[in-house]
Amino acid sequence: MVFITGRSISMVGNPLRTPFNNLVIIILLLTLIPQKIYFMKPAFLSFCLAILFIASGGQIFAQNFDTVKIKTVKITETIFMLQGEGGNIGVLSGKDGIVMIDDQFAPLSEKIKTALKAINDKPVRFVINTHFHGDHVGGNENFGGEGAIIVAQENSRLRMTSDQFMAALNNQRKAAPYDALPKVTFTESVTLHLNGETVQVFHVKNAHTDGDAIIHFKESNVFHGGDVFVRYGLPYIDQPHGGSIDGMIDGVGQLLTLVNDDSKIIPGHGLLAGKKDLVDYKNMLVVLRDRILKGIKEGKTLEQVIETDPTKEFISVFERKEWIKAAYDSLKK
């Protein structure tokens, strides 16, 4: 069941239980929610479909990939954002070939390749994974199998090498095959020098997951935030896999030390952003963290904190009590 009051959405029961209920929720979201704050309709629909695909183990809505269109957003002469279903893809193009940030779902790989060829007919040389979730790394095997070198923070590779269960989405994900695994890993940071660009990739600890990477295209003043920065409302915190609300705030804080008023930021999901969007997003996280932490300091149980609904004025595509639980558990550690 879905309750909508102003900008607040509350989902009672498991919102990912059946295809029909999922469609009802999406229709309500797209027709009754103001088209502002942290998402816009096309990008938000893609995110919702991605979440449903993950939750269904890749079975429900798989047919939708046949009609998905890959949209190319030009940011600079050499940097682009691709949007389809799943996480936003970053692209660096030039004489050295293509560097790609994330690769969405495997069934979309051919469409993504077609979009890339319209930018540059040179091969994909590197794929940098922002984290291990399937809506960002689902195409790894296809691109890795054709010779692209996959790069990721070491914890993300570790997660990919074994089966993973995402309780909040009721999703079991099998270990990745060899071609899908990162062949280059790093602990804190790694830098690529290609196409006249310094590509700085750095780890933000225990944010969305325990293996998040943010990418900085230094000369162009462009960033890819992965799912540390998203534009659909309350961000998914994968607390069982090392995510935390404090880490999210710290990660966004690190990003804010690098951006300026002219920066362009590719979020993990949603429309291209700027510094003000990032500031607003961090302020939201701080408000939420402080409310939940206040309840913890007052000795309130998780159930008592949930009853106060600290998320009430913010948009959520997840069941609110699950989101509060993830934040609460991460603060209790």
Side-chain angles (χ1 to χ4, degrees):
M1 186 177 296
V2 180
F3 296 97
I4 300 181
T5 306
R7 293 174 181 168
S8 178
I9 306 168
S10 182
M11 301 181 186
V12 179
N14 186 352
L16 302 173
R17 190 169 301 237
T18 68
F20 178 77
N21 287 343
N22 293 337
L23 283 172
V24 171
I25 290 167
I26 289 176
I27 291 168
L28 284 169
L29 289 171
L30 295 179
T31 57
L32 299 180
I33 301 299
Q35 191 173 313
K36 56 185 179 180
I37 301 208
Y38 298 110
F39 63 87
M40 296 290 279
K41 286 185 180 179
F44 186 60
L45 176 58
S46 293
F47 170 75
C48 289
L49 292 172
I51 288 294
L52 297 179
F53 185 89
I54 295 169
S56 66
Q59 302 303 313
I60 302 170
F61 294 104
Q63 68 274 16
N64 286 324
F65 290 126
D66 294 337
T67 58
V68 171
K69 294 182 179 179
I70 305 299
K71 177 184 177 182
T72 301
V73 179
K74 184 176 181 180
I75 302 174
T76 72
E77 291 300 317
T78 59
I79 299 176
F80 303 81
M81 177 175 73
L82 303 185
Q83 293 183 300
E85 283 187 21
N88 288 332
I89 295 173
V91 177
L92 172 64
S93 171
K95 64 182 182 64
D96 297 322
I98 290 173
V99 178
M100 189 162 65
I101 315 301
D102 288 342
D103 47 34
Q104 296 192 356
F105 295 106
L108 294 175
S109 293
E110 291 306 314
K111 292 184 179 184
I112 291 168
K113 291 173 189 175
T114 299
L116 293 174
K117 286 185 187 303
I119 297 171
N120 188 341
D121 60 4
K122 292 184 179 295
V124 177
R125 293 191 58 192
F126 292 91
V127 175
I128 302 171
N129 292 156
T130 60
H131 60 291
F132 77 94
H133 288 161
D135 58 323
H136 292 258
V137 305
N140 271 14
E141 184 177 13
N142 295 331
F143 288 97
E146 294 182 355
I149 298 171
I150 301 171
V151 181
Q153 204 277 337
E154 61 185 9
N155 291 333
S156 284
R157 187 186 194 279
L158 184 62
R159 298 290 186 190
M160 292 183 213
T161 59
S162 61
D163 293 353
Q164 301 291 329
F165 180 67
M166 298 173 69
L169 300 178
N170 193 29
N171 169 240
Q172 180 73 44
R173 181 175 173 81
K174 295 293 185 181
Y178 177 80
D179 283 343
L181 291 174
K183 303 305 185 288
V184 175
T185 61
F186 62 94
T187 303
E188 297 297 333
S189 65
V190 66
T191 302
L192 283 67
H193 301 273
L194 293 164
N195 298 327
E197 195 79 45
T198 304
V199 185
Q200 297 176 326
V201 187
F202 61 94
H203 178 42
V204 290
K205 297 178 180 179
N206 300 104
H208 176 58
T209 68
D210 60 4
D212 296 304
I214 289 177
I215 295 85
H216 181 193
F217 300 102
K218 190 173 180 181
E219 284 75 14
S220 296
N221 194 19
V222 176
F223 299 81
H224 194 307
D227 277 5
V228 176
F229 172 48
V230 295
R231 301 194 68 196
Y232 54 75
L234 302 183
Y236 175 47
I237 300 173
D238 191 354
Q239 190 269 332
H241 293 109
S244 71
I245 189 165
D246 274 338
M248 292 286 279
I249 293 168
D250 290 344
V252 175
Q254 289 180 53
L255 187 50
L256 279 169
T257 65
L258 298 171
V259 304
N260 57 42
D261 290 340
D262 297 320
S263 299
K264 300 297 182 185
I265 309 164
I266 301 172
H269 298 268
L271 297 180
L272 189 66
K275 181 179 179 180
K276 184 181 183 302
D277 301 306
L278 193 62
V279 170
D280 291 344
Y281 176 78
K282 183 185 178 185
N283 289 342
M284 176 186 72
L285 292 178
V286 170
V287 167
L288 291 165
R289 188 270 312 276
D290 290 351
R291 287 175 181 174
I292 295 170
L293 188 59
K294 180 175 181 290
I296 291 172
K297 289 180 177 178
E298 291 172 351
K300 291 181 179 177
T301 65
L302 171 62
E303 290 70 24
Q304 288 172 326
V305 171
I306 289 172
E307 286 177 5
T308 69
D309 193 6
T311 69
K312 52 184 171 291
E313 75 268 39
F314 299 110
I315 291 166
S316 177
V317 298
F318 306 106
E319 192 170 0
R320 289 178 183 273
K321 67 179 182 180
E322 294 296 333
W323 192 94
I324 296 167
K325 181 180 185 302
Y328 182 96
D329 287 349
S330 74
L331 290 168
K332 288 281 284 186
K333 279 192 171 183

